Amino acid sequence: MKEVAPDKTYRYIQSFYFFTFFAFGSLFPLLSVFLEEEKGLTHTQIGLVIAALPIITIFIQPIWGMLSDYTRKPRILLMIAASIAAVLGLFYPILQIFPILLAGIAAIAIFQSGIVPLSDSLSLAFVQKNGKEYGNIRLWGAVGFAVAVFVLGRVTESTESLSWIFYFFSIALLFSFIVLFRFPKSADEVTVSFRSGMTTLIKQKPFLLFLVSNFLIFGPILANNYYFGTFILAVGGTLAGIGVAFLLAAGSEAPFMKFSQSVIDRLGVIQVIMIGSTVSAARWLLYFFDPSTTVVYVTTIAQGISVGLYIPAALILVRELAPKEVRATAVGLYSAVGNGIGNAFFTFIGGVLIDVWNVNGMYGFFSFMSFIGMLLILLVRKWTSSEVKEFAT
């Protein structure tokens, strides 16, 4: 295949993120509502079904990493993951009883879980090699997610069917599959390794401490994607209102991601992580006190800071805390802990808390855990201050 110019590759990767996160935005925000209203599951059962996604991620992501090591073809693996997840999504709405619904989402998760770490590692390597910015790639994911939730909110309300979330999920992943054909052959040299370097990373105490803090901070952020729709309905919103809320929330991420590198260069990566974490914890605390629908809609734009700045800064910090030879492994482990373990824990606990308490109580728990995570970040800064200079670049 003829080598593709870096600028064109940049646009292809941006398109891939748009379609991939459009798929995620179609499915995840309304999945809990789908399981409750169309399948009649309890919130605890919903928590188990949704938690299956990140739980599977914990165990399957290392396998994707080892396959990438062995084949040296992450682009091909991305094609496999995207296409099979898309096909499985088309059949999910016909499933009925709880055990089958659980098994079905687990099957989707096996393939969906490989998409983010493989594409993140590929993208980070590309931007580092070609002098581009990861934030300008990842922002297209935020745009795709925001557009998807807005569109699906309108579609599901007008059709009175939530099954559309799976159809849009599948179609968007098929578009991302098509975009992958335009990636340059040289991109296949990028790998995500879990098999090698683990011993080295275990010895890096600041890195391990940041993994714990990321678990406590990013886990609630991801769990919110599943339960925010339930929260909107609880405060008097509608399905279309869920779409508007997610459009504001996810859409606000894009401008912050675009300028994230300049903010990091100016303030330092740990300071930026602290800012994003503080905004996130404060948002959950506000939701604990049962705000009005208007206040909820207004505060959704806080996600631009809590996610739009946090994600690029966290990835930079992970790469800087890890020795150069195991950075790919570090990115994969970071994704498994945050997107896997943290996501699974807070998603499951969130469902239980909604059943035994209420959705406001769940957000109070999220806020408390996020504040603990912030204290750990301060400890990371203390441990690293004598060795590095805030990882500004």
Side-chain angles (χ1 to χ4, degrees):
M1 179 185 291
K2 184 179 178 181
E3 186 68 21
V4 181
D7 286 343
K8 284 190 175 181
T9 302
Y10 201 40
R11 291 193 289 272
Y12 293 148
I13 297 177
Q14 289 172 329
S15 299
F16 174 83
Y17 272 72
F18 176 85
F19 288 123
T20 297
F21 280 85
F22 186 100
F24 297 164
S26 299
L27 178 60
F28 298 148
L30 290 171
L31 180 57
S32 64
V33 181
F34 168 83
L35 293 171
E36 180 179 7
E37 295 193 359
E38 297 211 357
K39 302 303 177 180
L41 302 188
T42 67
H43 286 293
T44 299
Q45 290 175 323
I46 292 170
L48 287 170
V49 172
I50 295 175
L53 287 161
I55 288 172
I56 294 295
T57 295
I58 298 168
F59 297 102
I60 297 299
Q61 277 189 344
I63 296 177
W64 284 110
M66 287 186 286
L67 286 172
S68 182
D69 268 348
Y70 180 76
T71 64
R72 317 296 286 183
K73 295 184 180 297
R75 183 184 63 169
I76 300 300
L77 292 175
L78 278 171
M79 289 180 173
I80 293 171
S83 59
I84 297 182
V87 172
L88 291 173
L90 289 173
F91 291 97
Y92 193 84
I94 68 175
L95 306 181
Q96 293 300 326
I97 62 175
F98 168 67
I100 302 301
L101 289 165
L102 179 61
I105 210 69
I108 292 174
I110 289 173
F111 297 95
Q112 179 266 335
S113 65
I115 296 174
V116 171
L118 287 169
S119 57
D120 270 351
S121 186
L122 186 153
S123 301
L124 285 166
F126 171 81
V127 298
Q128 188 176 48
K129 178 181 178 181
N130 294 279
K132 305 292 185 179
E133 293 184 4
Y134 173 79
N136 280 336
I137 290 176
R138 184 59 177 77
L139 72 84
W140 284 100
V143 172
F145 195 99
V147 171
V149 182
F150 177 75
V151 170
L152 266 297
R154 296 303 179 108
V155 169
T156 54
E157 185 164 271
S158 63
T159 62
E160 298 184 349
S161 172
L162 285 157
S163 297
W164 285 102
I165 66 177
F166 285 95
Y167 303 143
F168 275 77
F169 168 79
S170 297
I171 292 170
L173 283 184
L174 289 176
F175 274 108
S176 71
F177 170 82
I178 294 171
V179 172
L180 284 169
F181 278 100
R182 305 303 303 272
F183 276 43
K185 187 176 182 179
S186 60
D188 285 343
E189 297 173 3
V190 182
T191 63
V192 178
S193 172
F194 276 81
R195 186 176 53 184
S196 63
M198 289 299 296
T199 301
T200 301
L201 286 172
I202 290 174
K203 296 177 181 178
Q204 308 299 315
K205 292 183 179 179
F207 172 75
L208 294 178
L209 191 61
F210 179 66
L211 288 186
V212 177
S213 72
N214 184 66
F215 165 86
L216 295 170
I217 294 167
F218 205 59
I221 290 173
L222 293 172
N224 173 67
N225 286 337
Y226 298 112
Y227 293 120
F228 193 49
T230 300
F231 179 61
I232 290 291
L233 295 178
V235 297
T238 63
L239 287 175
I242 293 173
V244 172
F246 269 100
L247 176 66
L248 293 171
S252 66
E253 296 174 18
F256 284 96
M257 285 184 175
K258 181 174 180 61
F259 299 107
S260 60
Q261 188 61 57
S262 61
V263 176
I264 292 169
D265 291 340
R266 187 181 187 88
L267 300 179
V269 69
I270 292 182
Q271 185 64 29
V272 171
I273 289 173
M274 281 297 296
I275 292 172
S277 303
T278 301
V279 172
S280 182
R283 183 185 175 195
W284 308 148
L285 184 60
L286 174 66
Y287 292 170
F288 172 70
F289 290 104
D290 196 22
S292 67
T293 307
T294 302
V295 171
V296 172
Y297 285 138
V298 171
T299 56
T300 54
I301 61 175
Q303 188 161 313
I305 301 174
S306 62
V307 176
L309 293 181
Y310 181 92
I311 289 179
L315 279 168
I316 291 173
L317 181 60
V318 166
R319 289 177 64 84
E320 292 297 335
L321 288 176
K324 184 177 182 179
E325 65 273 14
V326 292
R327 282 179 174 173
T329 303
V331 171
L333 187 59
Y334 156 80
S335 181
V337 170
N339 296 334
I341 300 174
N343 194 351
F345 175 79
F346 286 99
T347 297
F348 173 69
I349 292 298
V352 173
L353 287 174
I354 292 174
D355 265 347
V356 302
W357 195 356
N358 54 40
V359 69
N360 304 91
M362 179 195 73
Y363 280 115
F365 176 73
F366 285 1
S367 179
F368 179 69
M369 292 293 103
S370 298
F371 278 117
I372 295 177
M374 291 165 57
L375 294 177
L376 296 182
I377 292 174
L378 292 176
L379 189 54
V380 171
R381 179 166 62 183
K382 180 179 179 181
W383 282 3
T384 58
S385 59
S386 61
E387 303 172 18
V388 294
K389 276 185 146 182
E390 283 278 315
F391 314 122
T393 59

PDB file of all heavy atoms in Angstrom, residues 64 67-80 118 122 185 187-192:
ATOM      1  N   TRP A  64      -5.928  -8.973  23.826  1.00  0.00           N
ATOM      2  CA  TRP A  64      -5.770  -8.125  22.639  1.00  0.00           C
ATOM      3  C   TRP A  64      -4.329  -7.625  22.549  1.00  0.00           C
ATOM      4  O   TRP A  64      -3.746  -7.547  21.461  1.00  0.00           O
ATOM      5  CB  TRP A  64      -6.736  -6.941  22.692  1.00  0.00           C
ATOM      6  CG  TRP A  64      -8.156  -7.285  22.371  1.00  0.00           C
ATOM      7  CD1 TRP A  64      -9.202  -7.311  23.232  1.00  0.00           C
ATOM      8  CD2 TRP A  64      -8.692  -7.649  21.089  1.00  0.00           C
ATOM      9  NE1 TRP A  64     -10.358  -7.672  22.584  1.00  0.00           N
ATOM     10  CE2 TRP A  64     -10.074  -7.880  21.265  1.00  0.00           C
ATOM     11  CE3 TRP A  64      -8.135  -7.802  19.815  1.00  0.00           C
ATOM     12  CZ2 TRP A  64     -10.908  -8.261  20.216  1.00  0.00           C
ATOM     13  CZ3 TRP A  64      -8.974  -8.168  18.768  1.00  0.00           C
ATOM     14  CH2 TRP A  64     -10.335  -8.391  18.971  1.00  0.00           C
ATOM     15  N   LEU A  67      -2.091 -10.476  21.380  1.00  0.00           N
ATOM     16  CA  LEU A  67      -2.305 -10.704  19.952  1.00  0.00           C
ATOM     17  C   LEU A  67      -1.613  -9.632  19.116  1.00  0.00           C
ATOM     18  O   LEU A  67      -1.058  -9.914  18.051  1.00  0.00           O
ATOM     19  CB  LEU A  67      -3.804 -10.717  19.643  1.00  0.00           C
ATOM     20  CG  LEU A  67      -4.582 -11.955  20.091  1.00  0.00           C
ATOM     21  CD1 LEU A  67      -6.079 -11.741  19.887  1.00  0.00           C
ATOM     22  CD2 LEU A  67      -4.106 -13.189  19.324  1.00  0.00           C
ATOM     23  N   SER A  68      -1.651  -8.401  19.614  1.00  0.00           N
ATOM     24  CA  SER A  68      -0.985  -7.311  18.915  1.00  0.00           C
ATOM     25  C   SER A  68       0.523  -7.521  18.918  1.00  0.00           C
ATOM     26  O   SER A  68       1.196  -7.268  17.915  1.00  0.00           O
ATOM     27  CB  SER A  68      -1.331  -5.977  19.581  1.00  0.00           C
ATOM     28  OG  SER A  68      -0.733  -4.898  18.903  1.00  0.00           O
ATOM     29  N   ASP A  69       1.053  -7.990  20.045  1.00  0.00           N
ATOM     30  CA  ASP A  69       2.483  -8.315  20.127  1.00  0.00           C
ATOM     31  C   ASP A  69       2.857  -9.385  19.111  1.00  0.00           C
ATOM     32  O   ASP A  69       3.874  -9.290  18.410  1.00  0.00           O
ATOM     33  CB  ASP A  69       2.816  -8.839  21.525  1.00  0.00           C
ATOM     34  CG  ASP A  69       3.268  -7.730  22.463  1.00  0.00           C
ATOM     35  OD1 ASP A  69       3.529  -6.620  21.990  1.00  0.00           O
ATOM     36  OD2 ASP A  69       3.330  -7.995  23.675  1.00  0.00           O
ATOM     37  N   TYR A  70       2.032 -10.423  19.054  1.00  0.00           N
ATOM     38  CA  TYR A  70       2.354 -11.575  18.226  1.00  0.00           C
ATOM     39  C   TYR A  70       2.207 -11.285  16.734  1.00  0.00           C
ATOM     40  O   TYR A  70       3.059 -11.631  15.925  1.00  0.00           O
ATOM     41  CB  TYR A  70       1.464 -12.751  18.623  1.00  0.00           C
ATOM     42  CG  TYR A  70       1.716 -14.005  17.827  1.00  0.00           C
ATOM     43  CD1 TYR A  70       2.839 -14.796  18.072  1.00  0.00           C
ATOM     44  CD2 TYR A  70       0.825 -14.399  16.824  1.00  0.00           C
ATOM     45  CE1 TYR A  70       3.075 -15.944  17.328  1.00  0.00           C
ATOM     46  CE2 TYR A  70       1.042 -15.544  16.082  1.00  0.00           C
ATOM     47  CZ  TYR A  70       2.174 -16.319  16.341  1.00  0.00           C
ATOM     48  OH  TYR A  70       2.399 -17.451  15.601  1.00  0.00           O
ATOM     49  N   THR A  71       1.117 -10.620  16.362  1.00  0.00           N
ATOM     50  CA  THR A  71       0.838 -10.384  14.946  1.00  0.00           C
ATOM     51  C   THR A  71       1.506  -9.126  14.409  1.00  0.00           C
ATOM     52  O   THR A  71       1.741  -9.011  13.209  1.00  0.00           O
ATOM     53  CB  THR A  71      -0.672 -10.254  14.707  1.00  0.00           C
ATOM     54  OG1 THR A  71      -1.164  -9.089  15.400  1.00  0.00           O
ATOM     55  CG2 THR A  71      -1.410 -11.492  15.202  1.00  0.00           C
ATOM     56  N   ARG A  72       1.793  -8.154  15.297  1.00  0.00           N
ATOM     57  CA  ARG A  72       2.318  -6.838  14.904  1.00  0.00           C
ATOM     58  C   ARG A  72       1.369  -6.125  13.954  1.00  0.00           C
ATOM     59  O   ARG A  72       1.785  -5.313  13.134  1.00  0.00           O
ATOM     60  CB  ARG A  72       3.717  -6.975  14.247  1.00  0.00           C
ATOM     61  CG  ARG A  72       4.670  -7.935  14.922  1.00  0.00           C
ATOM     62  CD  ARG A  72       5.032  -7.491  16.324  1.00  0.00           C
ATOM     63  NE  ARG A  72       5.940  -6.365  16.316  1.00  0.00           N
ATOM     64  CZ  ARG A  72       6.466  -5.820  17.412  1.00  0.00           C
ATOM     65  NH1 ARG A  72       6.161  -6.307  18.600  1.00  0.00           N
ATOM     66  NH2 ARG A  72       7.278  -4.790  17.330  1.00  0.00           N
ATOM     67  N   LYS A  73       0.089  -6.395  14.072  1.00  0.00           N
ATOM     68  CA  LYS A  73      -0.897  -5.796  13.172  1.00  0.00           C
ATOM     69  C   LYS A  73      -2.104  -5.265  13.957  1.00  0.00           C
ATOM     70  O   LYS A  73      -3.216  -5.817  13.870  1.00  0.00           O
ATOM     71  CB  LYS A  73      -1.351  -6.799  12.120  1.00  0.00           C
ATOM     72  CG  LYS A  73      -0.253  -7.220  11.158  1.00  0.00           C
ATOM     73  CD  LYS A  73      -0.783  -8.138  10.089  1.00  0.00           C
ATOM     74  CE  LYS A  73       0.329  -8.556   9.128  1.00  0.00           C
ATOM     75  NZ  LYS A  73       0.884  -7.406   8.397  1.00  0.00           N
ATOM     76  N   PRO A  74      -1.929  -4.200  14.727  1.00  0.00           N
ATOM     77  CA  PRO A  74      -3.064  -3.662  15.491  1.00  0.00           C
ATOM     78  C   PRO A  74      -4.200  -3.146  14.623  1.00  0.00           C
ATOM     79  O   PRO A  74      -5.356  -3.170  15.037  1.00  0.00           O
ATOM     80  CB  PRO A  74      -2.430  -2.536  16.315  1.00  0.00           C
ATOM     81  CG  PRO A  74      -1.200  -2.163  15.572  1.00  0.00           C
ATOM     82  CD  PRO A  74      -0.700  -3.433  14.958  1.00  0.00           C
ATOM     83  N   ARG A  75      -3.871  -2.677  13.407  1.00  0.00           N
ATOM     84  CA  ARG A  75      -4.943  -2.205  12.527  1.00  0.00           C
ATOM     85  C   ARG A  75      -5.885  -3.342  12.150  1.00  0.00           C
ATOM     86  O   ARG A  75      -7.118  -3.179  12.147  1.00  0.00           O
ATOM     87  CB  ARG A  75      -4.350  -1.588  11.253  1.00  0.00           C
ATOM     88  CG  ARG A  75      -5.405  -1.005  10.325  1.00  0.00           C
ATOM     89  CD  ARG A  75      -4.812  -0.496   9.042  1.00  0.00           C
ATOM     90  NE  ARG A  75      -4.197  -1.555   8.262  1.00  0.00           N
ATOM     91  CZ  ARG A  75      -3.790  -1.428   6.992  1.00  0.00           C
ATOM     92  NH1 ARG A  75      -3.939  -0.260   6.385  1.00  0.00           N
ATOM     93  NH2 ARG A  75      -3.231  -2.416   6.361  1.00  0.00           N
ATOM     94  N   ILE A  76      -5.340  -4.502  11.837  1.00  0.00           N
ATOM     95  CA  ILE A  76      -6.163  -5.661  11.507  1.00  0.00           C
ATOM     96  C   ILE A  76      -6.994  -6.082  12.708  1.00  0.00           C
ATOM     97  O   ILE A  76      -8.174  -6.416  12.585  1.00  0.00           O
ATOM     98  CB  ILE A  76      -5.283  -6.831  11.029  1.00  0.00           C
ATOM     99  CG1 ILE A  76      -4.491  -6.424   9.793  1.00  0.00           C
ATOM    100  CG2 ILE A  76      -6.138  -8.069  10.749  1.00  0.00           C
ATOM    101  CD1 ILE A  76      -5.342  -6.016   8.619  1.00  0.00           C
ATOM    102  N   LEU A  77      -6.386  -6.048  13.882  1.00  0.00           N
ATOM    103  CA  LEU A  77      -7.121  -6.395  15.096  1.00  0.00           C
ATOM    104  C   LEU A  77      -8.263  -5.413  15.349  1.00  0.00           C
ATOM    105  O   LEU A  77      -9.350  -5.802  15.801  1.00  0.00           O
ATOM    106  CB  LEU A  77      -6.174  -6.418  16.289  1.00  0.00           C
ATOM    107  CG  LEU A  77      -5.128  -7.544  16.292  1.00  0.00           C
ATOM    108  CD1 LEU A  77      -4.178  -7.389  17.469  1.00  0.00           C
ATOM    109  CD2 LEU A  77      -5.801  -8.912  16.330  1.00  0.00           C
ATOM    110  N   LEU A  78      -8.031  -4.134  15.069  1.00  0.00           N
ATOM    111  CA  LEU A  78      -9.093  -3.139  15.204  1.00  0.00           C
ATOM    112  C   LEU A  78     -10.242  -3.442  14.246  1.00  0.00           C
ATOM    113  O   LEU A  78     -11.421  -3.288  14.604  1.00  0.00           O
ATOM    114  CB  LEU A  78      -8.543  -1.733  14.936  1.00  0.00           C
ATOM    115  CG  LEU A  78      -7.825  -1.047  16.094  1.00  0.00           C
ATOM    116  CD1 LEU A  78      -7.141   0.226  15.613  1.00  0.00           C
ATOM    117  CD2 LEU A  78      -8.804  -0.713  17.206  1.00  0.00           C
ATOM    118  N   MET A  79      -9.909  -3.858  13.036  1.00  0.00           N
ATOM    119  CA  MET A  79     -10.943  -4.217  12.068  1.00  0.00           C
ATOM    120  C   MET A  79     -11.786  -5.381  12.578  1.00  0.00           C
ATOM    121  O   MET A  79     -13.023  -5.374  12.483  1.00  0.00           O
ATOM    122  CB  MET A  79     -10.305  -4.592  10.732  1.00  0.00           C
ATOM    123  CG  MET A  79      -9.713  -3.423   9.969  1.00  0.00           C
ATOM    124  SD  MET A  79      -8.984  -3.976   8.403  1.00  0.00           S
ATOM    125  CE  MET A  79      -8.587  -2.399   7.638  1.00  0.00           C
ATOM    126  N   ILE A  80     -11.109  -6.385  13.129  1.00  0.00           N
ATOM    127  CA  ILE A  80     -11.825  -7.554  13.654  1.00  0.00           C
ATOM    128  C   ILE A  80     -12.724  -7.147  14.816  1.00  0.00           C
ATOM    129  O   ILE A  80     -13.905  -7.519  14.873  1.00  0.00           O
ATOM    130  CB  ILE A  80     -10.817  -8.634  14.098  1.00  0.00           C
ATOM    131  CG1 ILE A  80     -10.069  -9.196  12.878  1.00  0.00           C
ATOM    132  CG2 ILE A  80     -11.522  -9.752  14.858  1.00  0.00           C
ATOM    133  CD1 ILE A  80      -8.918 -10.108  13.225  1.00  0.00           C
ATOM    134  N   LEU A 118      -6.060  -0.223  21.698  1.00  0.00           N
ATOM    135  CA  LEU A 118      -5.315  -0.371  20.448  1.00  0.00           C
ATOM    136  C   LEU A 118      -5.257   0.948  19.687  1.00  0.00           C
ATOM    137  O   LEU A 118      -4.200   1.354  19.194  1.00  0.00           O
ATOM    138  CB  LEU A 118      -5.961  -1.459  19.573  1.00  0.00           C
ATOM    139  CG  LEU A 118      -5.772  -2.907  20.031  1.00  0.00           C
ATOM    140  CD1 LEU A 118      -6.674  -3.835  19.245  1.00  0.00           C
ATOM    141  CD2 LEU A 118      -4.312  -3.331  19.899  1.00  0.00           C
ATOM    142  N   LEU A 122      -1.914   3.378  19.142  1.00  0.00           N
ATOM    143  CA  LEU A 122      -1.568   3.701  17.757  1.00  0.00           C
ATOM    144  C   LEU A 122      -1.527   5.220  17.557  1.00  0.00           C
ATOM    145  O   LEU A 122      -0.599   5.764  16.962  1.00  0.00           O
ATOM    146  CB  LEU A 122      -2.577   3.046  16.825  1.00  0.00           C
ATOM    147  CG  LEU A 122      -2.336   3.119  15.310  1.00  0.00           C
ATOM    148  CD1 LEU A 122      -3.005   1.926  14.638  1.00  0.00           C
ATOM    149  CD2 LEU A 122      -2.895   4.405  14.706  1.00  0.00           C
ATOM    150  N   LYS A 185       0.096   1.319   5.996  1.00  0.00           N
ATOM    151  CA  LYS A 185       0.599   0.015   6.401  1.00  0.00           C
ATOM    152  C   LYS A 185       1.604   0.130   7.544  1.00  0.00           C
ATOM    153  O   LYS A 185       1.688  -0.738   8.414  1.00  0.00           O
ATOM    154  CB  LYS A 185       1.248  -0.690   5.208  1.00  0.00           C
ATOM    155  CG  LYS A 185       1.651  -2.123   5.489  1.00  0.00           C
ATOM    156  CD  LYS A 185       2.184  -2.790   4.238  1.00  0.00           C
ATOM    157  CE  LYS A 185       2.535  -4.252   4.511  1.00  0.00           C
ATOM    158  NZ  LYS A 185       3.038  -4.923   3.297  1.00  0.00           N
ATOM    159  N   ALA A 187       1.477   1.839  10.088  1.00  0.00           N
ATOM    160  CA  ALA A 187       0.839   1.941  11.400  1.00  0.00           C
ATOM    161  C   ALA A 187       0.755   0.589  12.078  1.00  0.00           C
ATOM    162  O   ALA A 187       0.621   0.503  13.288  1.00  0.00           O
ATOM    163  CB  ALA A 187      -0.564   2.523  11.254  1.00  0.00           C
ATOM    164  N   ASP A 188       0.895  -0.488  11.272  1.00  0.00           N
ATOM    165  CA  ASP A 188       0.822  -1.820  11.852  1.00  0.00           C
ATOM    166  C   ASP A 188       1.990  -2.135  12.766  1.00  0.00           C
ATOM    167  O   ASP A 188       1.993  -3.131  13.471  1.00  0.00           O
ATOM    168  CB  ASP A 188       0.764  -2.879  10.742  1.00  0.00           C
ATOM    169  CG  ASP A 188      -0.598  -2.925  10.076  1.00  0.00           C
ATOM    170  OD1 ASP A 188      -1.551  -2.398  10.647  1.00  0.00           O
ATOM    171  OD2 ASP A 188      -0.674  -3.492   8.977  1.00  0.00           O
ATOM    172  N   GLU A 189       3.021  -1.289  12.745  1.00  0.00           N
ATOM    173  CA  GLU A 189       4.178  -1.543  13.592  1.00  0.00           C
ATOM    174  C   GLU A 189       3.921  -1.161  15.046  1.00  0.00           C
ATOM    175  O   GLU A 189       4.660  -1.524  15.935  1.00  0.00           O
ATOM    176  CB  GLU A 189       5.387  -0.767  13.069  1.00  0.00           C
ATOM    177  CG  GLU A 189       5.813  -1.220  11.679  1.00  0.00           C
ATOM    178  CD  GLU A 189       6.896  -0.333  11.116  1.00  0.00           C
ATOM    179  OE1 GLU A 189       7.335   0.588  11.841  1.00  0.00           O
ATOM    180  OE2 GLU A 189       7.300  -0.551   9.977  1.00  0.00           O
ATOM    181  N   VAL A 190       2.865  -0.399  15.303  1.00  0.00           N
ATOM    182  CA  VAL A 190       2.543   0.024  16.660  1.00  0.00           C
ATOM    183  C   VAL A 190       1.896  -1.143  17.400  1.00  0.00           C
ATOM    184  O   VAL A 190       1.046  -1.820  16.867  1.00  0.00           O
ATOM    185  CB  VAL A 190       1.587   1.227  16.653  1.00  0.00           C
ATOM    186  CG1 VAL A 190       1.289   1.690  18.077  1.00  0.00           C
ATOM    187  CG2 VAL A 190       2.199   2.356  15.851  1.00  0.00           C
ATOM    188  N   THR A 191       2.299  -1.370  18.650  1.00  0.00           N
ATOM    189  CA  THR A 191       1.749  -2.481  19.413  1.00  0.00           C
ATOM    190  C   THR A 191       1.284  -2.043  20.785  1.00  0.00           C
ATOM    191  O   THR A 191       1.696  -1.024  21.302  1.00  0.00           O
ATOM    192  CB  THR A 191       2.786  -3.606  19.599  1.00  0.00           C
ATOM    193  OG1 THR A 191       3.878  -3.090  20.370  1.00  0.00           O
ATOM    194  CG2 THR A 191       3.310  -4.111  18.282  1.00  0.00           C
ATOM    195  N   VAL A 192       0.420  -2.850  21.341  1.00  0.00           N
ATOM    196  CA  VAL A 192       0.009  -2.683  22.728  1.00  0.00           C
ATOM    197  C   VAL A 192       0.434  -3.948  23.461  1.00  0.00           C
ATOM    198  O   VAL A 192      -0.105  -5.008  23.217  1.00  0.00           O
ATOM    199  CB  VAL A 192      -1.514  -2.500  22.848  1.00  0.00           C
ATOM    200  CG1 VAL A 192      -1.910  -2.375  24.310  1.00  0.00           C
ATOM    201  CG2 VAL A 192      -1.966  -1.287  22.069  1.00  0.00           C
TER     202      VAL A 192
END
